[in-house]
Amino acid sequence: NILVYGKILRLRGLGSMTIGQLVNLCVNDSERLYIAIQTCGFAIQGPLMIGAILGYSVHLVGWPALLGFSTFVVFYCVMVAVSHYQAAFRRRAIKVTDVRVRTMNEILTFVKLIKMYAWERPFSAYVGDVRSLEKVQLRNSAYMQAITSSLVLVVPSVATVVTLAARTLTGGSL
């Protein structure tokens, strides 16, 4: 939060940015920063652990361990592709959220005028349509995240089955 607050203070002025857009920007930035801090340790220790585990697995099981490792590589390549789709859906959702927040800000600013001319229904319908579009984008992003999360849980089991099946089919003992 301190970094986001510092970013707000560095802005010379809001310019064409509304308060709602600024809040949306801060929320998204703080979420991405939190995820980056969480995963930073894995990026550092991951290659070392992969090398050690792969070496030990090849020592214990033989070359079928390489098939299990290649299973991990293939699944993680699929997960990277799914993550790119998820990011695209998230970017679209952020754009739609900005439109909705800007519209709500305008409605709240001019609420007396809207009430005076009885424009509540058209504005309500417009905000509802934008919110529906936003929900579709967020739902698609959530589906992609669910696929990625479920693959993370399935990959070790599939890799184990592949390794043990290859070891058994080549005549090795378990």
Side-chain angles (χ1 to χ4, degrees), residues 16-153:
S16 64
M17 188 179 286
T18 64
I19 298 296
Q21 289 173 318
L22 184 64
V23 169
N24 194 22
L25 177 73
C26 292
V27 168
N28 288 318
D29 283 355
S30 63
E31 180 183 345
R32 296 296 171 223
L33 185 62
Y34 177 73
I35 291 171
I37 290 171
Q38 267 187 326
T39 58
C40 183
F42 294 125
I44 294 169
Q45 71 186 9
L48 297 173
M49 290 180 67
I50 288 172
I53 292 169
L54 184 60
Y56 188 64
S57 297
V58 169
H59 174 71
L60 286 178
V61 181
W63 68 267
L66 296 175
L67 286 176
F69 179 73
S70 63
T71 304
F72 270 102
V73 171
V74 167
F75 271 103
Y76 284 121
C77 288
V78 168
M79 287 180 5
V80 165
V82 170
S83 295
H84 285 294
Y85 283 116
Q86 179 186 359
F89 283 127
R90 183 75 182 136
R91 278 191 299 272
R92 285 187 222 144
I94 288 171
K95 287 179 184 177
V96 175
T97 300
D98 284 343
V99 169
R100 182 183 55 84
V101 168
R102 190 177 325 115
T103 303
M104 288 304 299
N105 190 25
E106 290 171 2
I107 288 172
L108 292 174
T109 302
F110 299 108
V111 69
K112 288 182 182 179
L113 184 66
I114 292 170
K115 289 282 192 185
M116 185 173 72
Y117 286 108
W119 290 339
E120 294 97 343
R121 289 187 201 272
F123 277 99
S124 176
Y126 177 72
V127 171
D129 292 343
V130 172
R131 181 66 184 141
S132 296
L133 182 60
E134 181 184 17
K135 284 179 8 183
V136 166
Q137 297 300 328
L138 291 173
R139 186 179 304 122
N140 289 339
S141 177
Y143 287 151
M144 294 296 142
Q145 186 173 5
I147 290 170
T148 304
S149 298
S150 63
L151 282 178
V152 166
L153 299 174

